[in-house]
Amino acid sequence: MFRKILIANRGEIACRVIRTARRLGIATVAVYSDADANARHVALADEAVRIGPAPVRESYLRADVIIAAAKASGAEAIHPGYGFLSENAEFADALAEAGLVFIGPPASAIRAMGLKGAAKALMQEARVPVVPGYHGDNQDADFLLGEAERIGWPVLIKAVAGGGGKGMRRVDKAAEFKAALAGAQREGANAFGNDRVLLEKYLVKPRHIEIQVFADKQGNAVHLFERDCSVQRRHQKVLEEAPAPGMPTAMRQAMGQAAVNAAKAIGYVGAGTVEFIADVSDGLKPDRFYFMEMNTRLQVEHPVTEMITGQDLVEWQLRVAAGNPLPLKQEELRIDGHAVEARIYAEDPTKNFLPSVGKLHRLRPPAEDAHVRVDTGVRENDSVTPFYDPMIAKLIVWDHDRGAALRRMGQALAQYQVAGVTTNIPFLIALAGHPAFDEGDLDTGFIERFRADLIPPVQAADASALALAALAVVLERRAQRSGGKGDPWSPWAAVNGWRLNDQGYDELIFREGESETRLRIEYAADAAIRVKLPGGAVVTAAGKLQDGSLDAVLDERRFSIGLVRQGLDLTLLLPGRVQKLSLVDPLAAGELDEAAGGALTAPMPGKVVQVLVAEGAAVEKGQALMVLEAMKMEHTIAAPARGKIAKLNFKAGDQVSEGATLIALEAEG
Ligand code: MV4
């Protein structure tokens, strides 16, 4: 076995590989870009080497720099994770030349599966079923139209070098064929530098079912059953599970055998996934599955296979790469129970899943146990940046059967607390709990079909959320007054005479988007408050606020939620739901509101390029005060209000960490 390996990746997969290496007594070398200097994978590894600036072209894709790092650190092998260099045949070749082991398949196997048409021809020879179609050399438009007529409409045109749905066109009739062909060719040429296409019968109701395979250098190959990844959004997997719901034993055997044949046909070694498309227009039928492509790497969703087989696939990879035979034979592998994985992304489903970048002010995953696993590469206070994939974590659950696993997934998702970025957690909860999903009636059109159920409109805060927010404000202000450290910028510190009474009543106004809600707070003799809602209903609230958690009792109901405040903004982390509210301070001007929003703190880690003002200077609202360089861009820090510079905490050339207070401004009035 290896004594030391380098992991040529970042994020959760780098952490995942390190975990197994550590357990096996293998030393690990992490690599990192400037954006990842303090990342979790760097902290977990035994050693770490900087490989360049944040952009992947200048860091995680730099094969030469990574190979040099491996040699310098004395690593014997490189694990590529997924993405980046994992399916790069030239990288595999370069490692061999450098005397390093690539923890992955031979370069020849990567190349064999690189082009769809050639891969299909190889698979046909190996008697692996392929979708009926044409994948030959003739690219003449009239000839291809003739082939399409022979195949029968609808037909799918696919760029041979395509992937992830790029360069794909569905054609329903002859009249549309040539325009679609030109489109697919153009997309193929632009995206992959290859305009060749193949034709396939278009399957109207497909399921994505893939088989995990493993092969060793001795020529043995096994499969570790299937995963169903039919629930996708724009070719991005969202939920994956194993085994596939409703899979007949005969079909599992046939698919497993076909996948093993595929691996053997190309001299495969290591972990691979053979992707099939199953035509489910008449349910799952043992003779209606077809080879799509082979992914010559460990996949994102490998944990569901680990959970149902009890095997550690990274351990298998390491053993095989070191020249050992496969740990188990086919007949020793069994499926136990059901596993589901959800990909938790920093993205906003209500904004067409736009990535949501920012600092993870709170990040509390559910507790891990025999049923719940969390694979993640980020920690609380890390940032989701525009440089890399915005996946925060993979949440994997296991249970004895699919229904139990889905319920457990719903629970675990509801416990996940994330503040600072918007996540797809509510969307995942709706998906895992959807009756049609529970039925196992899956196909690749699932998300589009149930879109309205899965992406509910943003909900206004209900009575409990408002009462909890009001309670949090009162508790925080009580803590501030009883000797809490004074942050002069905090509106909670009751500047401007804004202070809640302990007797009588107060009024709080919360803003949510465009609407404002006015609450009357009455102070009871004990520590409790009574919150009077706009409709007239009254909620009695008491509780404790500590370390970002609010434990409260509203009337007779207990709540334990996460609570994050930044300036006047409050984020309530309710089970499975995030409620954002802003406190409207009737005494302070809107200016203070902006100051509290963090304008004078560093928005991200970076370097001070220029200081434009001196201490004591009078400044106007909007005046540029400081220029910060972060992530290769310049950011101007402007005065949020008219006032005087009380203190400059940094000078040009200083490094600042995210959230550092750059300037103290004494606002006027
Ligand atoms: C297909 C298909 C229907 N018929 N091929 C999409 C990406 C690529 N890996 C294969 N894809 C498809 N190929 C034929 N002959 C439908 C899809 C497809 C799809 C496949 C798997 C998962 C999600 C999908 C979403 C849309 C289309």
Side-chain angles (χ1 to χ4, degrees):
M1 184 47 85
F2 308 114
R3 278 176 299 110
K4 189 190 270 194
I5 63 169
L6 179 141
I7 298 103
N9 215 302
R10 63 179 302 283
E12 68 87 14
I13 193 61
C15 298
R16 162 73 192 87
V17 173
I18 291 167
R19 178 161 61 76
T20 291
R22 169 88 21 95
R23 185 171 61 71
L24 300 178
I26 301 169
T28 54
V29 183
V31 294
Y32 65 93
S33 71
D34 290 338
D36 281 340
N38 300 310
R40 181 169 187 259
H41 77 279
V42 173
L44 288 182
D46 297 303
E47 296 170 45
V49 183
R50 177 187 176 272
I51 52 170
V56 296
R57 293 243 149 255
E58 300 171 52
S59 52
Y60 296 103
L61 289 174
R62 284 292 300 270
D64 53 343
V65 178
I66 290 169
I67 290 170
K71 298 197 81 160
S73 62
E76 304 150 78
I78 296 187
H79 194 302
Y82 52 73
F84 298 137
L85 298 164
S86 61
E87 294 183 273
N88 185 320
E90 288 72 50
F91 183 61
D93 279 336
L95 289 205
E97 215 152 289
L100 295 162
V101 176
F102 179 62
I103 303 171
S108 57
I110 300 176
R111 290 196 175 97
M113 289 298 178
L115 292 177
K116 285 194 160 78
K120 256 184 108 168
L122 263 174
M123 291 302 105
Q124 228 166 1
E125 269 172 57
R127 292 196 295 183
V128 176
V130 298
V131 185
Y134 175 77
H135 52 261
D137 287 333
N138 195 336
Q139 297 287 304
D140 176 73
D142 287 308
F143 171 80
L144 289 175
L145 173 58
E147 284 300 300
E149 297 276 12
R150 179 185 62 77
I151 295 160
W153 309 106
V155 159
L156 193 61
I157 306 174
K158 292 184 177 176
V160 297
K166 265 215 193 96
M168 249 173 48
R169 289 283 193 291
R170 174 190 168 152
V171 190
D172 291 298
K173 46 181 188 280
E176 296 165 357
F177 184 79
K178 286 193 181 167
L181 175 64
Q185 288 171 328
R186 197 171 354 96
E187 228 166 277
N190 289 341
F192 314 104
N194 186 336
D195 68 356
R196 300 169 67 84
V197 299
L198 57 79
L199 305 181
E200 282 184 356
K201 175 82 192 154
Y202 182 82
L203 307 179
V204 182
K205 201 174 180 203
R207 252 167 85 172
H208 172 129
I209 299 178
E210 57 185 35
I211 305 283
Q212 176 71 55
V213 293
F214 244 101
D216 60 24
K217 294 178 179 174
Q218 288 75 16
N220 306 300
V222 299
H223 69 85
L224 290 93
F225 315 107
E226 77 279 4
R227 296 185 284 260
D228 193 312
C229 314
S230 298
V231 183
Q232 304 194 359
R233 201 192 66 82
R234 298 194 175 198
H235 308 293
Q236 277 269 35
K237 292 168 186 164
V238 174
L239 270 187
E240 302 106 337
E241 58 183 310
M247 176 73 112
T249 306
M251 184 168 184
R252 173 172 298 128
Q253 273 170 358
M255 291 184 79
Q257 190 56 54
V260 166
N261 293 347
K264 286 191 165 165
I266 58 167
Y268 203 77
V269 176
T273 295
V274 184
E275 254 182 55
F276 292 99
I277 193 162
D279 176 1
V280 292
S281 41
D282 296 313
L284 281 177
K285 292 274 155 50
D287 60 346
R288 296 228 188 135
F289 68 87
Y290 310 97
F291 171 84
M292 281 274 109
E293 53 192 72
M294 181 166 183
N295 300 314
T296 55
R297 59 166 191 272
L298 185 71
Q299 288 196 262
V300 178
E301 60 272 23
H302 76 275
V304 293
T305 299
E306 297 186 319
M307 300 285 266
I308 62 157
T309 59
Q311 302 302 311
D312 179 333
L313 298 194
V314 173
E315 176 177 353
W316 281 47
Q317 284 190 296
L318 293 168
R319 288 203 198 202
V320 162
N324 299 313
L326 292 174
L328 294 176
K329 295 184 172 53
Q330 189 68 58
E331 56 274 19
E332 293 172 306
L333 287 159
R334 291 268 179 286
I335 297 178
D336 180 20
H338 199 95
V340 184
E341 172 179 285
R343 298 189 188 189
I344 297 175
Y345 274 98
E347 63 183 16
D348 189 346
T350 67
K351 292 182 183 153
N352 199 22
F353 296 88
L354 190 74
S356 169
V357 298
K359 186 165 170 176
L360 296 158
H361 289 288
R362 189 170 173 90
L363 181 63
R364 303 286 164 97
E368 292 188 77
D369 57 28
H371 290 269
V372 177
R373 166 173 167 183
V374 179
D375 280 19
T376 185
V378 288
R379 300 168 292 191
E380 195 162 272
N381 292 324
D382 284 353
S383 290
V384 176
T385 71
F387 294 109
Y388 312 114
D389 186 82
M391 190 168 78
I392 295 171
K394 304 186 308 204
L395 175 61
I396 309 107
V397 301
W398 178 91
D399 221 310
H400 297 284
D401 60 54
R402 186 170 186 266
L406 290 178
R407 286 193 298 277
R408 207 173 274 281
M409 175 58 85
Q411 279 185 326
L413 284 167
Q415 286 168 11
Y416 223 114
Q417 292 188 352
V418 186
V421 299
T422 304
T423 76
N424 64 342
I425 291 173
F427 170 75
L428 293 169
I429 291 173
L431 192 55
H434 199 282
F437 188 75
D438 190 47
E439 291 282 304
D441 182 18
L442 307 181
D443 67 83
T444 56
F446 190 91
I447 289 179
E448 273 314 310
R449 192 154 67 246
F450 296 106
R451 199 180 172 84
D453 301 340
L454 303 174
I455 310 173
V458 182
Q459 275 182 27
D462 60 9
S464 329
L466 289 168
L468 289 166
L471 178 64
V473 171
V474 171
L475 292 175
E476 180 119 14
R477 306 205 83 214
R478 280 182 184 155
Q480 294 268 359
R481 244 181 307 167
S482 58
K485 285 191 298 288
D487 167 5
W489 289 101
S490 172
W492 307 82
V495 284
N496 303 329
W498 182 53
R499 187 175 287 268
L500 295 173
N501 303 315
D502 263 330
Q503 258 100 46
Y505 70 90
D506 258 308
E507 205 164 56
L508 290 180
I509 307 168
F510 286 112
R511 192 178 50 230
E512 242 188 307
E514 300 298 295
S515 74
E516 290 190 350
T517 307
R518 210 169 272 267
L519 303 175
R520 186 183 155 103
I521 313 295
E522 296 173 355
Y523 297 93
D526 55 8
I529 58 168
R530 281 154 48 86
V531 182
K532 197 165 184 184
L533 299 159
V538 176
V539 181
T540 301
K544 197 180 76 182
L545 183 61
Q546 202 179 334
D547 182 31
S549 292
L550 175 64
D551 292 313
V553 180
L554 301 184
D555 294 333
E556 260 71 61
R557 284 177 70 198
R558 303 198 128 266
F559 289 80
S560 186
I561 69 164
L563 196 132
V564 176
R565 73 156 182 92
Q566 293 157 272
L568 291 169
D569 295 331
L570 268 187
T571 305
L572 306 186
L573 299 163
L574 301 150
R577 194 157 61 92
V578 176
Q579 201 76 58
K580 288 185 188 168
L581 295 165
S582 296
L583 189 58
V584 178
D585 177 349
L587 298 177
E591 298 161 342
L592 184 61
D593 192 331
E594 284 179 45
L600 299 181
T601 58
M604 43 185 113
K607 196 168 102 179
V608 177
V609 177
Q610 228 181 339
V611 179
L612 303 162
V613 289
E615 272 181 16
V619 295
E620 292 300 321
K621 177 173 177 170
Q623 186 177 335
L625 308 178
M626 190 179 267
V627 182
L628 203 66
E629 188 201 84
M631 312 264 177
K632 301 232 137 197
M633 286 181 298
E634 290 200 344
H635 302 264
T636 301
I637 308 298
R642 183 192 168 93
K644 201 172 99 173
I645 303 294
K647 188 151 179 16
L648 285 170
N649 292 326
F650 297 95
K651 60 183 191 308
D654 286 350
Q655 286 289 336
V656 295
S657 53
E658 182 178 346
T661 302
L662 302 170
I663 298 167
L665 178 73
E666 232 164 62
E668 208 165 85

